[in-house]
Every structure is written in structure tokens, then in C-alpha cells.
Amino acid sequence: MTSAVPGSVLAAFAHPDDAELWAGATLALHTRYAAVTIAVPHRDDVRDAEARKGAAALGADLHQVPRLDHATVQQLLLEKRPEIVITHPLNDVHPEHRAVATTVLAAVPELRIATGRPSRFYTCDTYNSLTLDGPVRADVIVDATTTFDTKMAALREHASQPIDQHFGPMAETLGRLWGARIGTRYAEAFTAVPILGCLPGATHL
């Protein structure tokens, strides 16, 4: 399910290919209606270039930073004032994912008080939809059918990574499994995170 008019997004992730892998189809959908910014730390010249190509394929802006620390995330939130923030699960199996998610979680409340944004905060999917606490709890499942090809094309821009052998098949499998939950060919899953005690409605992303 999606909202009638998707809003602007800040998607903060740990690795150059995370946006495409975990939320690419949804981000591509949002770019049709609003600004989408992907924020990731610099890695090396090859991976940074791949990140730029992947973001461009999705139609999103890319913001590469030395590291996604508290001050950097707060500055991005202040500059972009996104309606929606997306990051990794707070209990992700990958330690770098968890670190970014924790940083984003800490940065959001103060900016919400100061600016009224973001109004919605979500975590995305992860490896085989399994967190340290068990399966991903999907509060919102977004029909990704119309933009799934765009997601996969963007993911393939990360040629230095094992896309064909590992990440591509996993993305395809997860897309089909979440799609089956809502009767579509492909979908992506998200979990709502409360901002100062407030949760978005079930039909929003």
C-alpha cells in the first residue's frame, strides 16, 4: 500500500548499494512525485562512482559524506526537510547497518521539533528479511511492480559487488515474496518507527 501522493524522502544507508538493494523500487516510485535524497558514506573511487550511477538510475539525488554521524544526519535533515526518512532496521544483522540506523533514530526527534519534518520514519528490509529479533515486521508493503526493473537496473550499476551471484537473486526473491503478500508481482517492505510517540497511518509511505 502507498499514499496517494508519495512525499519527499531522505534515505540514509551504510553502503553504496543499500538504497538500490533494500528500497530501490520504492525510491524510484517516489522520484516521480517528490525529491528523493540518498545519503551514504564515501567508500572508494570505484564504489563511489557506482553509487552515483545507481542513484541516477533511480532518479534520486546522491549525497556522499565522509561518515553518517549525528551532526551530518541532522544537517541533512535540516537542509532537505524530508517528509519521510528511511534507514536500516534498528536490529539489523549487519553492524554497520545498525550503527547508521541508531544514528538516524537519534537525530530525528530534535529536527521534528524544530521543523515539523520528517512526519514519517521507516526502516527497510534486510538480508532474507531476518533481523536479530526475528522476521521483519512489515507495517507497509509497497507495490513495486512498476519500478522493479528500475531497481534492478540501478542495482546492476554496482558491478564491483556480487550482484548476479548474490544480491540480485536475493532482491528478486524478496520482491516476489513481499509481492505475494499483497497480490502483486513485486513489493518492498517497511516498518514504521514512532517519532516522539507518533506513528503514521497504515496506508502511508
Side-chain angles (χ1 to χ4, degrees), residues 7-197:
S8 58
V9 178
L10 173 64
F13 292 113
H15 305 111
D17 55 358
D18 280 333
E20 292 87 334
L21 181 57
W22 307 122
T26 301
L27 296 177
L29 178 64
H30 278 253
T31 64
R32 297 176 178 178
Y33 304 92
V36 173
T37 301
I38 297 167
V40 294
H42 286 290
R43 286 282 166 165
D44 54 55
D45 289 346
V46 171
R47 296 205 69 187
D48 286 357
E50 290 172 348
R52 291 191 292 271
K53 292 177 182 178
L58 295 178
D61 294 326
L62 181 68
H63 198 95
Q64 293 174 303
V65 297
R67 61 186 181 276
L68 279 173
D69 57 16
H70 185 85
T72 300
V73 173
Q74 284 205 322
Q75 185 62 34
L76 281 168
L77 289 169
L78 185 62
E79 289 177 2
K80 303 298 181 181
R81 300 200 180 191
E83 296 173 57
I84 301 161
V85 168
I86 298 172
T87 191
H88 299 287
L90 298 170
N91 53 354
D92 200 292
V93 295
H94 196 302
E96 292 180 4
H97 290 188
R98 290 198 304 275
V100 168
T102 300
T103 299
V104 175
L105 178 67
V108 162
E110 185 177 341
L111 271 295
R112 170 66 177 267
I113 292 169
T115 69
R117 298 284 186 92
S119 59
R120 293 170 263 163
F121 182 8
Y122 296 94
T123 57
C124 61
D125 206 356
T126 188
Y127 298 97
N128 293 322
S129 300
L130 289 173
T131 71
L132 293 174
D133 296 330
V136 166
R137 186 197 78 240
D139 295 315
V140 177
I141 303 176
V142 177
D143 182 355
T145 305
T146 61
T147 52
F148 201 80
D149 286 346
T150 302
K151 167 197 176 87
M152 296 305 291
L155 188 59
R156 285 191 290 271
E157 294 290 355
H158 297 270
S160 69
Q161 302 304 296
I163 303 303
D164 292 337
Q165 303 89 346
H166 179 56
F167 293 129
M170 182 172 62
E172 177 81 19
T173 298
L174 292 176
R176 289 187 179 276
L177 287 172
W178 288 115
R181 298 275 190 98
I182 59 171
T184 65
R185 186 175 180 187
Y186 293 107
E188 290 178 334
F190 299 88
T191 302
V193 178
I195 305 175
L196 300 172

